[in-house]
Amino acid sequence: MQLTVWTYEGPPHIGAMRVATAMRGLHYVLHAPQGDTYADLLFTMIERRDARPPVTYTTFQARDLGADTAEIFQSAAAAAYERFRPEAMIVGASCTAELIQDDPGGLAKALNLPIPVIPLELPAYQKKENWGASETFYRLVRALSGPAPASGTARERADGRRPLCNVLGPTALGFRHRDDLVEIKSLLDRLGIDVNVVAPLGASPSDLGRLAQADFNIVLYPEVARAAAQYLQKTFGQPMVETVPIGVRATIRFVEEVAVLAGVDPAAVLAGAPSRLPWYSRSVDSTYLTGKRVFIFGDATHALALARVAATEIGFKVVGLGTYTREFAREVRAEAEAHGIEALISDDYLDVEAAIQAAQPELVLGTQMERHIAKRLGVPCAVISAPIHVQDFPARHSPQMGFEGANVLFDTLVHPLMMGLEEHLIGMFREDSEFHADAAPSHLGAKPRPAPEPEPVTSITVTPAGPAPWAADAEKELKKIPFFVRGKARANTERFARERELALITVETLYDAKAHFGR
């Protein structure tokens, strides 16, 4: 663990809280000091939920450490049961409370509550949020889904019954999970497949007891649901679909794989896949996008999906790919290798910023961290992964999965570049006689204002360690370059001048550097 200004993931008990908050009839008793109750804000302020998380904190204070903190936990757990009467309870410790080693699981078991109590062992100093969500969901499924069948794992479907599946992975505070779920359920319904249980989002502990009734499982977010789905596959013989349907091609593969497991015909759903992304990518307007350099960073699910969409469906060139989800480092490294680059596996935003600067992309696809980084570097950015802020929880329907999700995704990726072009044109004509800030409306025929003369360079100060200064006319010419590649042009020109020991960067230097690096 390291101290940092920003963090991509919280401690693992935040992951457990995401699962508990997503479910109904489940309560989380968290052994934590008074300061750890900040987590409520993640859901009520950022996700804008209309209810607080179902969490009871023990909120012990410093003066309690000299007394019996175990008794504080037991009292809190007993009071939580009496007040909320949940179907089941999970118990654990925050990163701070882990240090006092009170064993919440054993303490809760001693209370003999008349409901299932599932202890969580979440090592806060080795693991993080996504792992905590995965471990919590796995423990819940293992405890509540029932025993393995006595007579093998073969599954029979009664005549006339539609195929039945479970959809696993959506949680509270998940990036577009609510909207993705709407799209996936619509696809399944059009295929003639019924949804047995969606979990964790919207499920109750008793719903988890019905998981074994499904014919197969769909894993929407592997970071959360893969471990639970593997347990269900081993215990109940339920196959699973792990293709994440982000992008048109992945959605088609997803539909085909689901159809095979369900024994249905996907033709009606796939006929004229209803997305505008493929049409635009083949249109003449898309030539503006072809070959744009893009840097992608986020959780593994979204980073992997966006790399494939960017390269194969829009025509971008992936020049950077990384994730903070270390548990999926192997998959991300393999995908990066397919693009001819080396993956960045890091949870340090300073490493990510350095990698973005080195790659000189024209577009960044990342988290809210990368949004701040890209803004400082003057590069367009779109948010495609958690961690996210309130603006990434829109009230409107805005999925990333399915065919409609591909439309949303296309807008997400293309609009920053298109608006960047518009901003560039506005900047380019800022001093134009008709379009400058003080000009009257053109239909009134106002007298044009003469363009200002460039200020001459009167003195030059050269520092050996820094770049050569820019002449005023060279700076003005640099501003004509689109802002999303202006940083790269400046860096290349200064490098060109430094290598040739030029005392001043002129317009000629700018174009000489362009010709040199364009070869």
Side-chain angles (χ1 to χ4, degrees):
M1 176 175 281
Q2 66 182 39
L3 294 176
T4 181
V5 177
W6 284 342
T7 180
Y8 287 97
E9 294 184 89
H13 74 266
I14 299 297
M17 198 176 298
R18 286 174 52 194
V19 173
T21 305
M23 293 182 65
R24 299 175 291 108
L26 180 70
H27 200 80
Y28 185 15
V29 178
L30 183 62
H31 201 21
Q34 196 168 33
D36 278 0
T37 56
Y38 70 90
D40 281 15
L41 292 175
L42 297 174
F43 302 92
T44 56
M45 184 186 76
I46 295 179
E47 191 178 10
R48 297 186 288 194
R49 295 182 71 88
D50 59 359
R52 291 182 58 193
V55 180
T56 293
Y57 303 89
T58 57
T59 58
F60 60 84
Q61 301 178 51
R63 64 173 178 266
D64 297 319
L65 295 178
D68 189 357
T69 53
E71 183 180 350
I72 293 175
F73 176 84
Q74 286 188 309
S75 298
Y81 171 73
E82 290 298 329
R83 179 181 178 185
F84 298 105
R85 295 287 175 168
E87 292 182 35
M89 184 181 288
I90 53 177
V91 297
S94 72
C95 46
T96 311
E98 183 182 326
L99 298 174
I100 60 178
Q101 299 182 337
D102 271 339
D103 184 22
L107 294 171
K109 184 177 180 180
L111 292 174
N112 293 316
L113 297 176
I115 57 171
V117 178
I118 298 97
L120 301 177
E121 295 290 339
L122 305 177
Y125 298 96
Q126 290 83 38
K127 299 293 185 179
K128 294 198 172 182
E129 180 180 327
N130 279 331
W131 184 91
S134 173
E135 179 69 7
T136 301
F137 186 46
Y138 165 74
R139 292 293 171 187
L140 284 166
V141 168
R142 182 164 182 166
L144 301 174
S145 60
S151 55
T153 57
R155 313 188 65 77
E156 296 291 337
R157 188 190 311 161
D159 291 340
R161 176 173 74 78
R162 299 208 327 170
L164 199 60
C165 74
N166 299 317
V167 179
L168 307 178
T171 69
L173 207 67
F175 183 55
R176 307 290 168 84
H177 287 195
R178 175 200 63 192
D179 298 337
D180 287 346
L181 186 57
V182 172
E183 289 302 310
I184 296 309
K185 291 172 76 173
S186 175
L187 278 177
L188 294 171
D189 183 61
R190 290 163 57 198
L191 285 168
I193 301 170
D194 290 332
V195 175
N196 177 46
V197 174
V198 175
L201 190 61
S204 66
S206 56
D207 289 333
L208 298 186
R210 298 188 292 108
L211 286 171
Q213 297 174 14
D215 301 308
F216 61 95
N217 294 309
I218 292 172
V219 178
L220 287 189
Y221 307 100
E223 286 97 339
V224 175
R226 176 181 286 176
Q230 289 172 337
Y231 171 80
L232 293 171
Q233 184 177 44
K234 180 179 179 180
T235 305
F236 302 109
Q238 293 172 319
M240 61 179 171
V241 174
E242 279 199 278
T243 295
V244 177
I246 295 179
V248 174
R249 295 186 181 186
T251 299
I252 291 172
R253 286 197 308 274
F254 171 83
V255 169
E256 290 172 342
E257 291 176 17
V258 167
V260 168
L261 290 182
V264 298
D265 185 1
V269 173
L270 296 180
S275 175
R276 305 176 79 179
L277 189 157
W279 168 83
Y280 191 93
S281 295
R282 294 192 300 267
S283 73
V284 65
D285 288 345
S286 72
T287 55
Y288 173 71
L289 306 176
T290 304
K292 291 292 185 185
R293 297 166 57 85
V294 61
F295 188 101
I296 302 167
F297 191 87
D299 66 47
T301 292
H302 292 91
L304 289 169
L306 266 294
R308 294 159 188 162
V309 170
T312 64
E313 298 187 32
I314 297 183
F316 290 155
K317 178 176 176 57
V318 178
V319 297
L321 176 62
T323 185
Y324 55 81
T325 314
R326 295 183 181 275
E327 292 82 4
F328 289 76
R330 182 177 299 175
E331 290 95 322
V332 176
R333 286 194 177 103
E335 182 66 25
E337 187 176 348
H339 295 277
I341 55 179
E342 183 177 349
L344 173 65
I345 311 299
S346 176
D347 58 3
D348 188 332
Y349 69 94
L350 294 176
D351 291 343
V352 180
E353 182 168 4
I356 292 174
Q357 287 181 301
Q360 292 288 326
E362 295 160 276
L363 176 66
V364 174
L365 304 177
T367 73
Q368 67 162 329
M369 310 297 190
E370 284 65 53
R371 175 160 50 202
H372 294 304
I373 291 169
K375 186 175 182 179
R376 285 202 303 276
L377 298 178
V379 182
C381 178
V383 173
I384 52 87
S385 164
I388 46 184
H389 213 326
V390 62
Q391 68 195 80
D392 301 304
F393 285 99
R396 69 186 184 278
H397 182 60
S398 187
Q400 281 205 322
M401 292 186 177
F403 295 117
E404 181 60 24
N407 289 333
V408 173
L409 198 62
F410 174 73
D411 289 342
T412 300
L413 271 60
V414 170
H415 284 173
L417 291 173
M418 302 300 277
M419 296 309 292
L421 176 62
E422 180 177 313
E423 186 173 327
H424 161 59
L425 292 174
I426 291 172
M428 227 179 128
F429 291 100
R430 184 175 289 118
E431 302 301 331
D432 186 272
S433 59
E434 185 175 356
F435 297 107
H436 66 82
D438 298 325
S442 58
H443 68 281
L444 298 181
K447 183 179 180 181
R449 185 184 71 172
E453 294 293 328
E455 297 180 5
V457 175
T458 56
S459 63
I460 299 171
T461 304
V462 180
T463 56
W470 287 69
D473 57 344
E475 283 278 11
K476 185 174 180 180
E477 193 71 12
L478 180 68
K479 291 179 181 177
K480 296 180 181 179
I481 297 173
F483 77 97
F484 44 84
V485 291
R486 192 179 301 152
K488 180 179 179 181
R490 178 184 288 275
N492 284 345
T493 304
E494 291 176 350
R495 174 183 165 192
F496 180 84
R498 187 165 52 249
E499 290 175 351
R500 285 154 182 77
E501 299 182 351
L502 300 180
L504 177 67
I505 296 175
T506 64
V507 173
E508 289 74 19
T509 311
L510 178 63
Y511 283 100
D512 287 346
K514 177 183 177 183
H516 174 76
F517 289 105
R519 286 199 290 266

